[in-house]
Amino acid sequence: QVQLVESGGGLVQAGGSLRLSCAASGSTLSTNRVGWYRQAPGKPRELVAHIGSGGSTNYADSVKGRFTISRDNDKSTVYLQMNSLKPEDTAVYYCNIVYASGSSYYAVVSWGQGTRVTVSS
């Protein structure tokens, strides 16, 4: 069974940048759509960006123009480059394989532990 491991989080000042990584063990990510989600305290988990196996990308309005999702299929790793970070980006970030059904997207595998991002003002 595929296991996902997120890394790269940390504490950063507003306006700063971080790059998150999502690596898979037990399977490859190269043939799957992969998404980055985040969950802020007291809020539901939300999908912020996803990338198809061919490289097509989609972003939530809240991160559009600031975050970039990319993938390295040789390394079976998906990245989330986060620039111009804001305090409201503070959350635990998770990745998952995403199943698309029409305009809806569903996480497919068990959640990893996530990586915490804290943006100070």
Side-chain angles (χ1 to χ4, degrees):
Q1 183 176 356
V2 61
Q3 290 185 314
L4 302 170
V5 179
E6 303 92 347
S7 62
L11 172 63
V12 63
Q13 289 188 330
S17 299
L18 285 173
R19 188 176 83 152
L20 308 183
S21 298
C22 170
S25 63
S27 183
T28 179
L29 294 177
S30 62
T31 57
N32 297 111
R33 177 171 296 274
V34 178
W36 278 100
Y37 295 75
R38 68 184 181 188
Q39 187 166 23
K43 293 187 177 182
R45 194 170 297 177
E46 62 170 339
L47 179 62
V48 297
H50 53 95
I51 184 167
S53 57
S56 62
T57 59
N58 191 278
Y59 299 92
D61 288 343
S62 57
V63 306
K64 200 171 293 184
R66 300 187 298 120
F67 290 11
T68 302
I69 189 170
S70 63
R71 65 193 306 155
D72 184 335
N73 287 337
D74 290 339
K75 296 182 178 180
S76 195
T77 301
V78 174
Y79 304 98
L80 186 68
Q81 177 67 43
M82 307 187 296
N83 298 330
S84 303
L85 282 162
K86 304 176 181 180
E88 50 264 44
D89 294 318
T90 295
V92 179
Y93 285 71
Y94 303 86
C95 62
N96 210 310
I97 294 171
V98 174
Y99 170 71
S101 177
S103 60
S104 298
Y105 299 92
Y106 303 93
V108 173
V109 301
S110 299
W111 296 101
Q113 293 193 337
T115 186
R116 184 175 301 275
V117 172
T118 303
V119 184
S120 63
S121 56

